[in-house]
């Protein structure tokens, strides 16, 4: 079955960077875009961008342009999302998600806390 | 970006009630619409894809309908485990957008 397993919770100071990983299994990793979505405490869902695991090509939401970098390692079927120059309002749960065939599969989420 | 407007933002219902949630897109999205359920502290759980197709393993009390700009999610007989927040999501555009959520609470 399709599984997306994310790395564990992180605590970072303002101005630092964080890199979250998402390991895919149960489907052809290079066949489907990987998206990243975040959810601030008590808030809705916000799309951050996507990566084509086959080519490495990316599309980022304008809000995150210049601060987010999405990469992948096809040898281990893993996608990464790095967010730099962290601020307190980046405190959120970060999810990877993939529209594999017709269904959207979600990772379990990674809590990133930004605090001095 | 395609805006998704979901209503109501919250509702109170009793066990056994039929519940309907609506979602409207700011432009036509064909049937590229998903519904999912989220409980506190948990990841989203997919319920419906392609507007009306039931995700494998999801009980048939959940159903979706609509095409173009107007969509609905119906829960035919609300059970205690269904109290949660429900979101619609469009994936017609590569920039996914989401409704603001509907919190279903116990009356």
């Amino acid at each position: 079955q399709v599984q997306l397993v994310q790395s564990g919770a992180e605590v970072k100071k303002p101005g630092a960077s964080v890199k979250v990983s998402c390991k895919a299994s149960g489907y052809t990793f290079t066949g489907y875009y990987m998206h990243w979505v975040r959810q601030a405490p008590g808030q809705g869902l916000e799309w951050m961008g996507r990566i084509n695991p086959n080519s490495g090509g990316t599309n980022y939401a304008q809000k995150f342009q210049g601060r987010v970098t999405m990469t992948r390692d096809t040898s281990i079927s893993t996608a990464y999302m790095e967010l730099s120059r962290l601020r307190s309002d980046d405190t959120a749960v970060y999810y990877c998600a993939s529209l594999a065939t017709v269904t959207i599969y979600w990772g379990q989420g990674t809590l990133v806390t930004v605090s001095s | 970006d395609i805006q998704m407007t979901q209503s109501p933002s919250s509702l109170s219902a009793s066990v056994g009630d039929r519940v309907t949630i609506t979602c409207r897109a700011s432009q036509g999205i064909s049937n590229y619409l998903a519904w999912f359920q989220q409980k506190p502290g948990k990841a989203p759980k997919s319920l419906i894809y392609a507007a009306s197709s039931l995700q494998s393993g999801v009980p048939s009390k959940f159903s979706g309908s609509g095409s173009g700009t107007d969509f609905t999610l119906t829960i035919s007989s609300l059970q205690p485990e269904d109290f949660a927040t429900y979101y619609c999501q469009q994936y017609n555009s590569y920039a996914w957008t989401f409704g603001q959520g509907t919190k279903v609470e116990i009356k």
Side-chain angles (χ1 to χ4, degrees):
Chain A
Q1 74 281 21
V2 173
Q3 279 196 301
L4 301 176
V5 179
Q6 298 183 225
S7 49
E10 303 263 11
V11 179
K12 296 292 183 179
K13 292 192 183 302
S17 297
V18 68
K19 191 171 186 177
V20 179
S21 68
C22 171
K23 182 171 177 61
S25 62
Y27 73 105
T28 304
F29 175 68
T30 52
Y32 304 94
Y33 282 90
M34 187 69 76
H35 296 249
W36 290 88
V37 174
R38 77 176 188 179
Q39 186 172 37
Q43 302 301 307
L45 295 131
E46 180 175 35
W47 182 79
M48 300 180 68
R50 69 171 188 173
I51 183 168
N52 181 335
N54 187 44
S55 67
T58 55
N59 301 100
Y60 300 140
Q62 190 168 10
K63 175 177 179 175
F64 300 102
Q65 287 275 2
R67 281 210 305 144
V68 69
T69 304
M70 296 177 187
T71 57
R72 90 293 189 217
D73 184 340
T74 57
S75 68
I76 55 172
S77 300
T78 299
Y80 303 91
M81 187 285 298
E82 183 170 21
L83 190 62
S84 63
R85 303 194 299 279
L86 289 167
R87 308 184 293 255
S88 58
D89 62 358
D90 290 318
T91 294
V93 176
Y94 290 76
Y95 294 101
C96 58
S98 182
L99 176 57
T101 61
V102 295
T103 300
I104 297 170
Y105 296 93
W106 295 80
Q108 84 276 18
T110 297
L111 174 63
V112 175
T113 303
V114 183
S115 173
S116 55
Chain B
D1 287 358
I2 300 173
Q3 307 302 316
M4 304 301 292
T5 303
Q6 196 174 329
S7 62
S9 56
S10 65
L11 64 91
S12 295
S14 301
V15 171
D17 282 354
R18 180 184 180 90
V19 167
T20 298
I21 300 168
T22 64
C23 184
R24 174 165 287 176
S26 60
Q27 63 189 73
I29 58 170
S30 184
N31 68 336
Y32 295 104
L33 191 282
W35 290 96
F36 55 88
Q37 176 193 71
Q38 190 177 36
K39 296 183 177 179
K42 299 296 187 182
K45 174 188 175 184
S46 293
L47 300 175
I48 301 284
Y49 63 92
S52 60
S53 296
L54 196 65
Q55 175 67 39
S56 175
V58 173
S60 58
K61 61 182 171 181
F62 292 97
S63 63
S65 65
S67 183
T69 60
D70 294 305
F71 303 88
T72 60
L73 173 71
T74 300
I75 310 172
S76 61
S77 176
L78 206 61
Q79 296 303 306
E81 63 271 19
D82 301 329
F83 292 94
T85 300
Y86 294 84
Y87 293 92
C88 62
Q89 176 201 347
Q90 68 79 21
Y91 51 101
N92 180 68
S93 162
Y94 70 76
W96 293 353
T97 49
F98 302 85
Q100 77 276 24
T102 296
K103 187 173 185 179
V104 177
E105 299 176 302
I106 302 173
K107 183 183 285 185

